[in-house]
Amino acid sequence: MNSSTTTSGLTFDVRLSAQRKTPQERAQLLDNPGFGTVFTDHMVAIDYTEGEGWYDARLEPYGPLTLDPATAALHYAQEIFEGLKAYRHPTGEAACFRPDANAARLNRSARRMAMPELPEELFLGAIETLLQHDSEWIPTQPNSSLYLRPFMFATDVGLGVNHPSRSYRFVLIASPSGPYFSGGIKPVTVWLSEDYTRAAPGGTGQAKFAGNYAASFVAQSQAVEQGCDQVVWLDAKEHRWVEEMGGMNLFFVFGSGDDARLLTPPLTGTLLPGITRDSLLSLGPELGFPTEESPISTEEWRRAARSGELTEVFACGTAAVITPVGHVKSKDGEFTIGDGGAGPVTMGLREELVALQYGTRPDTHGWVRIFD
Ligand code: PLP
Ligand code: COI
């Protein structure tokens, strides 16, 4: 059955897949989906042309995109993306955590990359349309969810580089996913990258721009060669000030028990303004932890870890949720945070955040949006 879904503005045309997975096939795929490797039956796409605006919003079968080899995105990397999750709440409803914040960040990224903004109601309408048809793909095992990947890329055909593309496509795909790091909530070991820079002032670091990730792989490989799980990015000028991790922001916990306080590096323009980070800036004080945005250097990190003042460090992001950092390596040697394990502040914040996301605790912030 093909039908249409209307949101304010555009109508999403619904073109259902003739090859939907059977409930048995789906159950098998949902059993152990890993991260970002299994995809649902459908995707949403919306096109844009300068002068005409956004048009042809549609749900269509998930499948390959056919692109001219001279498509601008393939040459000049005008491509941005978002990441958020749909959770199955105990009420049976499908819910997302702060999707309006993802819509706003997509548009900030779009402005930086000279791309058109997508109206928030189209961003949310795309999620609603996809979940109306594919919400059986939301896994129900603990720590699992349906990872949503909205992205937008330049579709002009031609090699001229004097102006940005005049046409774009927005696409939303969905991937049932288990934990980002296999092996449970195990502390990660990180490598302080002094050879490579992720972002410089005036650059693209605060945009969720595909090229930032392309430029990060060589440093991530170096981290792995050094026996680490993840790379930590430092500032471009002094290679001293801590910015963020691979696809996550960082929090530092000083002190313990009633005296614990949290610190996260400020948004200097070179790091991604994480929605999880922003949520923790509210949740920290609500749980009784004074929380500040303040620069921290690698020397201070090392010194405070050795003196015991720094008790825990964790990374946070949509995919990784909250992941403890147990051990740090750099050209100057290595050190351990606390006892190297997952600390109580980290785990307490994680429990609070996850409870809000999975709907097991009341949403007093207006962060949860129900989609069906
Ligand atoms: N930093 C980078 C570079 C990221 O890719 C991400 C993931 O989106 C984050 C931080 C965390 O952002 P969020 O909490 O919005 O997922
Ligand atoms: C996310 O957490 O959504 C991310 O984008 C991180 C990574 C998978 C790129």
Side-chain angles (χ1 to χ4, degrees):
M1 181 199 65
N2 282 11
S3 59
S4 282
T5 310
T6 310
T7 62
S8 53
L10 276 190
T11 295
F12 284 85
D13 187 25
V14 173
R15 307 170 196 165
L16 291 183
S17 169
Q19 275 138 17
R20 295 183 85 151
K21 297 279 186 298
T22 64
Q24 291 77 4
E25 287 169 330
R26 194 172 59 233
Q28 215 166 21
L29 288 166
L30 287 177
D31 191 34
N32 189 10
F35 181 85
T37 55
V38 173
F39 297 93
T40 66
D41 293 314
H42 299 97
M43 60 189 190
V44 169
I46 318 176
D47 288 315
Y48 175 92
T49 303
E50 206 173 274
E52 196 172 339
W54 292 99
Y55 65 96
D56 197 14
R58 62 213 183 258
L59 178 93
E60 58 191 19
Y62 181 92
L65 304 173
T66 305
L67 296 176
D68 189 288
T71 298
L74 301 178
H75 298 270
Y76 307 126
Q78 259 190 302
E79 204 269 348
I80 56 175
F81 66 97
E82 271 303 321
L84 70 164
K85 288 172 169 173
Y87 308 88
R88 181 69 72 196
H89 277 198
T91 54
E93 294 163 311
C96 287
F97 186 70
R98 306 188 67 186
D100 51 324
N102 293 93
R105 189 171 62 190
L106 182 83
N107 285 337
R108 290 198 302 275
S109 301
R111 288 198 289 276
R112 175 62 184 85
M113 305 313 296
M115 296 167 82
E117 294 185 35
L118 181 78
E120 180 183 295
E121 75 262 23
L122 281 184
F123 185 91
L124 298 177
I127 296 174
E128 185 178 24
T129 304
L130 191 58
L131 289 180
Q132 268 166 4
H133 295 278
D134 282 358
S135 75
E136 309 94 331
W137 286 91
I138 301 176
T140 49
Q141 304 96 309
N143 299 317
S144 296
S145 57
L146 184 63
Y147 183 76
L148 304 175
R149 171 52 62 89
F151 59 103
M152 191 206 295
F153 61 96
T155 52
D156 269 9
V157 172
L159 302 181
V161 76
N162 293 329
H163 57 78
S165 179
R166 296 186 172 114
S167 59
Y168 296 88
R169 182 168 299 169
F170 168 82
V171 181
L172 170 65
I173 55 175
S175 175
S177 293
Y180 186 62
F181 293 113
S182 53
I185 309 163
K186 203 173 78 215
V188 292
T189 296
V190 299
W191 172 251
L192 305 183
S193 181
E194 286 160 282
D195 290 343
Y196 299 103
T197 299
R198 176 181 178 275
T204 57
Q206 64 185 342
K208 212 159 158 58
F209 157 56
N212 291 340
Y213 299 80
S216 76
F217 292 126
V218 64
Q220 175 62 24
S221 302
Q222 190 181 49
V224 171
E225 275 161 29
Q226 297 293 334
C228 297
D229 305 293
Q230 286 285 316
V231 59
V232 167
W233 297 107
L234 307 175
D235 75 289
K237 201 161 159 223
E238 296 183 76
H239 290 287
R240 227 183 121 207
W241 301 101
V242 178
E243 297 211 320
E244 59 181 323
M245 230 163 89
M248 290 146 259
N249 294 114
L250 282 166
F251 273 82
F252 295 78
V253 183
F254 290 88
S256 56
D258 287 346
D259 293 328
R261 62 185 177 87
L262 302 172
L263 179 150
T264 191
L267 299 178
T268 52
T270 50
L271 51 153
L272 193 83
I275 294 160
T276 319
R277 172 189 180 282
D278 186 67
S279 308
L280 292 172
L281 287 174
S282 295
L283 292 179
E286 285 168 32
L287 294 189
F289 307 121
T291 305
E292 64 172 316
E293 295 175 84
S294 198
I296 177 164
S297 66
T298 49
E299 305 93 84
E300 173 64 2
W301 187 350
R302 187 176 290 110
R303 188 203 63 74
R306 291 207 169 125
S307 74
E309 285 160 69
L310 180 72
T311 49
E312 303 176 32
V313 176
F314 64 85
C316 66
T318 299
V321 193
I322 288 184
T323 298
V325 174
H327 200 74
V328 183
K329 291 189 185 179
S330 74
K331 284 185 177 160
D332 297 330
E334 49 189 277
F335 56 95
T336 301
I337 319 289
D339 63 3
V345 175
T346 302
M347 295 315 282
L349 284 163
R350 186 187 158 98
E351 193 197 315
E352 185 72 21
L353 177 71
V354 165
L356 289 171
Q357 293 173 333
Y358 285 83
T360 57
R361 203 157 294 169
D363 169 31
T364 55
H365 302 85
W367 282 343
V368 171
R369 190 178 175 107
I370 304 291
F371 280 95
D372 71 6

